[in-house]
Amino acid sequence: SQSSRTCRDRSGEFNKCLDAVKDLQPRGCNSIEYIQSSEQTTEAFHRNYAAQGRPCMILGCSHGWRAKERWRGAEELVRWYGDVAVRVTEIADAKTNVARPLRISLRHYVSYASQDSGGAEFPWYGFDDDFEGERRCLLEDFEVPKLFQEDCYELSQETRHIFPKNTFFIVGGARTGTNMHVDPNCTSAWNTLLCGNKRWILFPPISDDEVLKSLGIEKNSYKNKMVPPCIWWSEIYPKIVKEGLGKKLGMIECIQRAGETIFVPEGWWHAVLNLDFTAAITANPLLPATLPRVLESMNWPKTFLWKFVLQAAERWPELKSGGWGGNEEETSKLLSFLEEAQQKHADGYDEFSDLSSWLRKLGDLHLKPVPPHAVVIIDTDSVLVKRGKGVLHSDSLMNLQRIIKAVNAEIVPSGPSRTSQALRDELASVLARWGITFKRWTTTAPQMSKSSQILDFVSRQCNDDCPWVVIDEEELGEEGPDALMLHILLRQQCISTKDGITDQVAAAAVEK
């Protein structure tokens, strides 16, 4: 895999181009604003920056952090945490859109980065959200800056469950970074750099596909992950500058230095290139002041969203009073939704776990069963549940909703025959919060091949009027002539994924 990362240009012209990018002073039409953390109250920051969707560079957030000593350079990191293994991500596979994860010790990574990353144009990048075990000590080196301690996802266990991992330890050598992207789940980002230099470029929210293509972005495409970050900077960035797109689109660019914290509002497109060895901590909070702006894009079950908005308004009264300012139209829509939620609360909707139960309570509606247009069999052990973590993929659940809505699908979970009824009930309860229910369950008994069980299920339960598809972690590939026949019969209806139900997996399921 290392050979696939080697620089294409052996003549040194490529590195000369990167050196030019490194030395080039930011020349966007807007320079980023610098502020002092000590001079900002949380309320003022929410009003002047978060609510306005206004990026800034903050000084002083890392004051008093132990990381200022232990992360200040490669040698210090190795001295304190040399044997700690961190995740580095490989290039995403073109077919599955899944990057192969690998963990190596910080000592080995620093050695790799110090040797120019083997001359690779797409070097390994340390980006880890798992602070369990040996990495737990890293949590003691920093604290969430005061300006970002208010997070809507912390309102309840249910909301935290939607986006359970939102903090990342980042370590990278020169030429590592991230391609142009928007942060997930309606979140903003703060990123505190402890050593090295990062080059940033930011664009305000853009939805026009043609404009995005001019920035080298294909929406919802794995290709964005396949392009080395340094290629974007050496090939796309000069075109943006030459054609004046930066000035037209409100581009902001800057170089972040050690000790500085950048704030990226939700919806802003941004790309990062590490100019030398860097170590940083970053997180993605859903800031309450941004809630009026993101409410319409929160694709959550309506009953759950009502409860969420009520909790948020109780926790932050400014949402009701408009104390943070922001767009008047967006604030008005939030207040209307809040009134609706209050009315539903008075009607007692929250006595029920999902929307269908609430509708039945009304009495004047007669719900008639609709025959499913499709059956989707999900391997819950590997596709819905994150391996080794025991938590559900929030992205998988949202994409499962997309499949259900698009083809009126019935969801049939599958799991080991040893799965207890209690565990099935627990899964049903969690899925119900997302408006997802299931009536049937198919087991994977150890004495039968997976192919045989799937074929047995669909032959008895499905027909020509009820197409089906299987979403599983692994390709069907049992050995032997019988298994081969089953494989031939089933493979056209199976989708393999190692990273949950992604946008691409959902689209493929609907198509099949």
Side-chain angles (χ1 to χ4, degrees):
S1 65
Q2 180 58 29
S3 62
S4 68
R5 291 172 169 269
T6 302
C7 283
R8 296 173 297 181
D9 187 349
R10 300 280 187 170
S11 66
E13 293 300 320
F14 180 80
N15 286 328
K16 289 180 182 178
C17 181
L18 284 183
D19 289 340
V21 170
K22 177 179 178 180
D23 296 335
L24 182 66
Q25 291 299 312
R27 53 178 178 180
C29 60
N30 298 313
S31 59
I32 198 164
E33 181 181 357
Y34 281 77
I35 63 174
Q36 285 282 349
S37 173
S38 59
E39 298 174 359
Q40 292 286 324
T41 64
T42 301
E43 181 182 355
F45 179 80
H46 274 66
R47 181 176 59 253
N48 297 325
Y49 296 93
Q52 305 297 328
R54 185 173 162 194
C56 62
M57 192 76 76
I58 311 169
L59 306 178
C61 286
S62 59
H63 179 71
W65 288 10
R66 195 169 70 178
K68 291 186 69 175
E69 296 297 322
R70 297 190 175 187
W71 301 14
R72 64 180 179 178
E75 290 184 4
E76 285 76 10
L77 273 173
V78 171
R79 176 189 172 193
W80 290 101
Y81 305 114
D83 294 328
V84 173
V86 296
R87 173 174 172 166
V88 294
T89 305
E90 262 282 14
I91 299 173
D93 184 90
K95 293 182 179 179
T96 64
N97 189 27
V98 175
R100 298 180 295 276
L102 170 71
R103 276 201 166 88
I104 61 175
S105 70
L106 273 170
R107 178 176 287 103
H108 285 132
Y109 183 82
V110 168
S111 175
Y112 164 78
S114 66
Q115 298 175 43
D116 195 31
S117 303
E121 67 179 16
F122 203 161
W124 283 322
Y125 192 21
F127 212 97
D128 209 323
D129 64 354
D130 186 352
F131 292 94
E132 297 299 323
E134 61 183 346
R135 287 173 295 281
R136 182 175 291 275
C137 56
L138 297 172
L139 293 174
E140 300 174 5
D141 289 352
F142 69 94
E143 59 184 25
V144 177
K146 67 174 185 177
L147 303 180
F148 304 105
Q149 291 179 357
E150 306 285 4
D151 183 357
C152 292
Y153 281 118
E154 294 289 350
L155 278 173
S156 67
Q157 289 183 341
E158 290 85 0
T159 49
R160 184 74 278 166
H161 188 81
I162 293 174
F163 192 36
K165 300 281 188 176
N166 75 324
T167 304
F168 303 87
F169 169 71
I170 310 174
V171 59
R175 295 192 302 281
T176 59
T178 55
N179 286 320
M180 193 65 69
H181 68 284
V182 170
D183 287 321
N185 295 74
C186 304
T187 59
S188 303
W190 61 267
N191 181 304
T192 300
L193 185 62
L194 279 307
C195 73
N197 299 273
K198 288 179 179 284
R199 185 73 185 274
W200 290 77
I201 188 166
L202 304 93
F203 290 94
I206 301 170
S207 57
D208 187 281
D209 289 351
E210 292 303 315
V211 175
L212 290 174
K213 284 183 180 179
S214 69
L215 301 180
I217 305 165
E218 292 188 40
K219 288 185 71 175
N220 302 321
S221 173
Y222 70 86
K223 294 180 181 179
N224 297 325
K225 300 179 182 179
M226 298 288 288
V227 179
C230 58
I231 296 296
W232 188 93
W233 285 92
S234 60
E235 296 182 5
I236 305 298
Y237 172 77
K239 294 180 182 179
I240 292 173
V241 174
K242 182 178 179 180
E243 296 173 6
L245 279 174
K247 184 175 182 179
K248 179 180 178 181
L249 298 175
M251 178 178 74
I252 292 177
E253 55 177 327
C254 60
I255 294 179
Q256 180 190 20
R257 309 191 188 281
E260 298 176 348
T261 300
I262 191 169
F263 166 62
V264 182
E266 108 293 331
W268 277 65
W269 292 90
H270 54 285
V272 187
L273 181 69
N274 292 314
L275 304 180
D276 43 24
F277 184 84
T278 62
I281 192 72
T282 186
N284 295 105
L286 175 50
L287 300 177
T290 68
L291 194 54
R293 195 161 56 245
V294 304
L295 183 65
E296 287 190 337
S297 59
M298 297 178 76
N299 187 25
W300 296 0
K302 194 71 172 289
T303 52
F304 186 74
L305 197 54
W306 285 331
K307 181 179 179 181
F308 168 76
V309 170
L310 287 173
Q311 290 175 324
E314 183 178 355
R315 173 64 181 81
W316 298 288
E318 293 90 344
L319 289 171
K320 292 184 287 187
S321 65
W324 284 321
N327 183 283
E328 290 185 5
E329 182 180 355
E330 292 167 345
T331 301
S332 177
K333 289 181 179 179
L334 173 66
L335 293 176
S336 296
F337 191 85
L338 180 59
E339 290 178 5
E340 179 185 1
Q342 290 170 332
Q343 181 60 51
K344 299 305 180 185
H345 177 72
D347 292 343
Y349 82 90
D350 58 346
E351 297 175 8
F352 305 98
S353 60
D354 60 63
L355 183 59
S356 60
S357 296
W358 176 70
L359 289 173
R360 290 189 182 93
K361 173 72 173 178
L362 297 181
D364 57 346
L365 293 177
H366 302 282
L367 302 180
K368 296 181 179 180
V370 179
H373 178 66
V375 170
V376 181
I377 303 171
I378 306 287
D379 186 345
T380 54
D381 272 5
S382 55
V383 175
L384 289 184
V385 179
K386 292 185 179 181
R387 181 174 295 280
K389 296 185 174 65
V391 295
L392 296 180
H393 282 281
S394 56
D395 288 343
S396 289
L397 294 173
M398 285 192 288
N399 280 315
L400 201 53
Q401 287 179 322
R402 287 178 52 198
I403 298 171
I404 293 170
K405 183 177 180 180
V407 295
N408 191 23
E410 177 192 7
I411 300 302
V412 179
S414 68
S417 57
R418 64 181 180 275
T419 304
S420 67
Q421 185 61 45
L423 288 176
R424 296 185 196 182
D425 292 342
E426 183 179 354
L427 175 65
S429 175
V430 173
L431 292 181
R433 297 174 196 156
W434 291 76
I436 301 171
T437 59
F438 63 88
K439 298 178 181 179
R440 296 185 286 179
W441 175 284
T442 180
T443 60
T444 52
Q447 63 270 23
M448 296 175 63
S449 71
K450 184 175 291 185
S451 294
S452 299
Q453 292 170 86
I454 293 173
L455 185 61
D456 178 67
F457 180 87
V458 298
S459 63
R460 290 184 294 104
Q461 307 286 349
C462 304
N463 53 51
D464 292 340
D465 297 325
C466 182
W468 55 275
V469 68
V470 175
I471 301 179
D472 196 357
E473 183 189 36
E474 300 173 350
E475 295 282 358
L476 298 171
E478 293 88 1
E479 298 180 353
D482 294 338
L484 178 60
M485 181 59 68
L486 291 170
H487 180 77
I488 293 172
L489 292 171
L490 293 170
R491 64 180 177 180
Q492 297 303 322
Q493 299 299 132
C494 294
I495 301 171
S496 176
T497 174
K498 294 184 181 296
D499 199 30
I501 306 176
T502 62
D503 292 347
Q504 290 73 28
V505 169
V510 170
E511 181 180 357
K512 286 181 180 292

